[in-house]
Amino acid sequence: MRKFLAILICRLATFVGKLVGKGTSMPGKFALKVCPDILRRIQKPKTVIAVTGSNGKTSTVEMIANVLKASGKTVAYNIEGSNQIEGVTTMMLNSCTWGGKMKQDVLLIESDERYTKFTFKWFHPSHYVITNLYRDQLTRNAHPEWVFDAIKESIFDDTQLILNADDPLVALFGRNRKNVVWFGLDHCSTDDETFVGAYHDFKYCPVCRKPLVYDYYHYNHVGKYHCSACDFKRHDTDYAVTNIDLANKEITLSGQKDKIQLAFKSIYNIYNTLVTYAICRLIGIDSKTVIAATSNYTLKNGRYIEFTIGKHAGTFLIAKHENSVAYDMSFRYAVEQGNPCSVVIIVDAVSRKYFTSETSWLWDIHFDWLNAPCVQKVYLCGKYCNDLAMRMTFTDVPLDKLVVSEDISAVCEQIKNKGDEHLYAVTCFSDRMKFLSSVNVK
């Protein structure tokens, strides 16, 4: 009876929530109050795929769902991205029958790193993807090793792990474990021989704490590594990108056999595409279907948006506040295009979920990416524009390239009436509409 009541309350709350423009997590919260073990009671499909990690969760889940649907499979997933236990509960209860049975072929779950231990207390994924781990929202997530400990509580022997071999902390989950599939990038032309970034959290081996030696870096601490003292090293991969051709927006996988065209040529997108390929092949989808569904796929989750403003063509890039690597990758993407451009950086509300004025994370961002000849202007906008400006004085970016203004609309008006170079706008979901409302979205 409690199971039926939980489903009923969830669906009623979802209906009401849609009327007021909400309803992704609150219905699940109500259902869990009525029946705390409702996730255990729901009959789930045989294939349950979970995805977690600091970055790439939402994009990877969207890409996997797209391939599943292209292959003819039915899939239930948290399309809204509400990834804590309440949001997962809402999705599952709205996807099952009144009797609590999910009839979809696949249950696909994006899970917040800290909440995996709560969600998967009640059931275990058949396949568990962990994308990466690094500094992210330190005010609530603390150090990546603390997040590692939280995720570790959600891993059980009957689950197959799909791990990023290039990330040493993620790789630690697979140490001395047999049921693991590894993915990663081979040595590519885009790699760095030395570390590039404002900090390096993984100078030391996560096993013995002795110095970790890198042969090369794909980005930040992600690359090929080995410990100088113990046997810890990058694991050989089962699924790999063997070649990256950014000029032609193409990657090669599986020993020079399978080629995938990229709509968005960033290192993040390459990893998301690779793990999508790996998980879909693991559950039996043929490579032709995977390649067709991922080639030139444009994400629908608002993380990459093209726009125009005045004579400028523009690209909007989501980079989570309090996540320095996300900012680094956005700046790197803008600069590596090699064309004359300007960059707009907006920090007006640090978070849309909780209030904080803590901006120490700005010092973790490698703003020196913007010290490039192709970058003409850097616009620093929003409530924390002066925090950004202070941070920029500790970089090699010429100060005469900076434009500092709290008024985002005024900056947009200034840009509209001046120049025609490509524009990159970088900010978080909490601030994106403050910029997009002033431009023409394609």
Side-chain angles (χ1 to χ4, degrees):
M1 183 64 183
R2 284 197 302 165
K3 178 173 70 174
F4 175 78
L5 186 59
I7 295 171
L8 176 62
I9 288 174
C10 180
R11 294 187 178 180
L12 286 174
T14 300
F15 175 77
V16 174
K18 287 181 178 178
L19 295 178
V20 297
K22 296 183 179 180
T24 57
S25 61
M26 191 59 71
K29 185 176 182 179
F30 292 152
L32 289 166
K33 290 286 186 182
V34 173
C35 186
D37 65 342
I38 185 63
L39 295 184
R40 177 181 62 81
R41 296 177 181 230
I42 297 299
Q43 186 177 341
K44 294 160 282 292
K46 181 179 179 180
T47 302
V48 179
I49 302 170
V51 180
T52 195
S54 298
N55 273 26
K57 298 183 292 293
T58 304
S59 297
T60 299
V61 164
E62 181 185 314
M63 293 179 73
I64 293 172
N66 183 61
V67 176
L68 291 173
K69 288 183 282 188
S71 71
K73 294 183 181 296
T74 55
V75 55
Y77 69 107
N78 36 348
I79 191 170
E80 301 292 340
S82 187
N83 58 17
Q84 297 179 2
I85 185 171
E86 296 86 358
V88 172
T89 301
T90 300
M91 179 270 291
M92 289 177 61
L93 298 193
N94 283 327
S95 301
C96 70
T97 65
W98 287 106
K101 181 179 180 180
M102 301 189 73
K103 294 186 176 181
Q104 295 83 3
D105 298 315
V106 179
L107 172 58
L108 174 60
I109 298 171
E110 174 192 341
S111 180
D112 179 275
E113 309 92 281
R114 295 187 310 148
Y115 283 79
T116 54
K117 62 182 180 181
F118 303 114
T119 300
F120 302 132
K121 170 184 177 181
W122 304 109
F123 66 96
H124 304 163
S126 58
H127 302 78
Y128 197 167
V129 176
I130 305 177
T131 58
N132 45 57
L133 286 176
Y134 34 69
R135 297 189 191 189
D136 178 40
Q137 296 181 310
L138 294 182
T139 49
R140 71 185 190 101
N141 284 342
H143 192 272
E145 291 190 359
W146 185 88
V147 178
F148 173 92
D149 291 338
I151 295 175
K152 190 175 181 180
E153 293 185 43
S154 70
I155 296 174
F156 299 91
D157 291 339
D158 58 343
T159 294
Q160 183 175 55
L161 297 183
I162 297 88
L163 301 180
N164 185 350
D166 300 338
D167 187 317
L169 194 55
V170 171
L172 194 59
F173 288 117
R175 186 170 172 81
N176 301 320
R177 183 185 173 102
K178 293 182 179 179
N179 195 16
V180 180
V181 173
W182 300 90
F183 67 93
L185 274 57
D186 287 353
H187 195 3
C188 302
S189 59
T190 55
D191 293 338
D192 295 301
E193 301 303 318
T194 57
F195 180 79
V196 177
Y199 67 92
H200 195 336
D201 274 334
F202 295 95
K203 285 185 177 181
Y204 300 98
C205 174
V207 175
C208 71
R209 304 300 176 183
K210 298 298 182 182
L212 203 58
V213 179
Y214 279 80
D215 296 339
Y216 50 82
Y217 299 86
H218 298 309
Y219 71 91
N220 200 267
H221 66 269
V222 176
K224 185 177 182 181
Y225 52 85
H226 66 273
C227 179
S228 60
C230 74
D231 64 348
F232 182 70
K233 63 178 181 179
R234 178 189 183 270
H235 202 283
D236 292 338
T237 54
D238 301 291
Y239 293 90
V241 170
T242 56
N243 186 59
I244 298 175
D245 183 353
L246 289 182
N248 294 311
K249 294 186 178 181
E250 182 181 79
I251 58 174
T252 306
L253 299 85
S254 302
Q256 303 297 322
K257 292 181 180 179
D258 294 337
K259 297 180 184 296
I260 296 178
Q261 297 294 319
L262 302 172
F264 182 48
K265 54 181 183 179
S266 76
I267 196 77
Y268 268 5
N269 194 37
I270 291 171
Y271 272 101
N272 296 342
T273 302
L274 172 61
V275 75
T276 297
Y277 180 92
I279 193 69
C280 291
R281 294 290 289 127
L282 282 171
I283 64 172
I285 301 176
D286 65 275
S287 61
K288 289 184 179 179
T289 299
V290 181
I291 292 169
T294 53
S295 287
N296 294 311
Y297 181 73
T298 302
L299 294 169
K300 308 299 190 299
N301 55 33
R303 280 163 165 74
Y304 173 86
I305 299 172
E306 293 183 347
F307 65 87
T308 59
I309 177 170
K311 296 181 179 179
H312 303 269
T315 305
F316 180 84
L317 303 170
I318 280 290
K320 288 193 294 182
H321 294 340
E322 303 177 275
N323 188 305
S324 57
V325 178
Y327 268 85
D328 286 356
M329 293 301 98
S330 294
F331 297 152
R332 175 177 174 174
Y333 175 81
V335 169
E336 286 184 343
Q337 306 315 301
N339 299 316
C341 67
S342 290
V343 179
V344 179
I345 306 169
I346 301 170
V347 183
D348 193 61
V350 174
S351 173
R352 60 177 175 169
K353 294 183 178 180
Y354 57 93
F355 174 76
T356 176
S357 57
E358 208 286 312
T359 58
S360 65
W361 52 276
L362 295 176
W363 297 83
D364 294 336
I365 300 172
H366 187 60
F367 284 102
D368 280 296
W369 276 112
L370 301 177
N371 183 28
C374 63
V375 178
Q376 298 181 359
K377 290 289 183 183
V378 179
Y379 297 90
L380 310 176
C381 309
K383 180 178 179 180
Y384 299 98
C385 62
N386 291 320
D387 297 70
L388 283 164
M390 174 61 75
R391 173 67 180 92
M392 295 295 285
T393 63
F394 287 81
T395 71
D396 292 328
V397 179
L399 296 182
D400 60 2
K401 287 188 176 183
L402 304 182
V403 177
V404 183
S405 174
E406 185 173 343
D407 191 332
I408 300 169
S409 297
V411 167
C412 289
E413 195 63 30
Q414 180 179 345
I415 292 170
K416 186 184 299 183
N417 296 320
K418 185 178 181 180
D420 60 359
E421 76 277 13
H422 197 91
L423 193 69
Y424 293 95
V426 182
T427 191
C428 188
F429 273 110
S430 57
D431 290 335
R432 69 171 184 166
M433 290 312 300
K434 299 168 188 175
F435 176 80
L436 292 177
S437 61
S438 299
V439 302
N440 299 312
V441 177
K442 290 185 179 181

